[in-house]
Amino acid sequence: MDPTIDLAAARLTDFLDREPVLWLSTVSPDGAPHLVPTWFTWDGASIFVVSKPGARKVRNVVADPRVMVALGDADDDFDV
């Protein structure tokens, strides 16, 4: 097995276990990006996000389920 894959997976798991907020990026119907900090929970297999039903991020995901998630604090030596 490739040790770099194991290292990346361990780093990701560490981020998911300790970070309280992720950055959720969605796309608006007009194609504009929408990036928001979002509280989440991680069960070891899935990321769960709860939001108000009418929130822009929810409307965007309903229209286009492709999202990007970023973890980490840019103030913490850009360890994202």
Side-chain angles (χ1 to χ4, degrees):
M1 183 176 259
D2 185 344
T4 59
I5 293 173
D6 290 340
L7 181 60
R11 187 166 180 246
L12 176 60
T13 298
D14 180 54
F15 267 127
L16 290 167
D17 285 341
R18 68 181 161 88
E19 290 293 329
V21 174
L22 57 77
W23 290 88
L24 179 67
S25 179
T26 62
V27 179
S28 298
D30 66 0
H34 183 248
L35 179 66
V36 292
T38 305
W39 284 269
F40 73 99
T41 183
W42 161 250
D43 72 357
S46 299
I47 295 172
F48 296 94
V49 174
V50 178
S51 185
K52 295 178 181 177
R56 170 155 313 280
K57 64 186 168 197
V58 173
R59 295 192 317 263
N60 289 350
V61 171
V62 168
D64 184 345
R66 296 175 297 167
V67 301
M68 185 190 82
V69 172
L71 293 161
D73 185 353
D75 290 335
D76 188 20
D77 198 23
F78 295 102
D79 193 13
V80 178

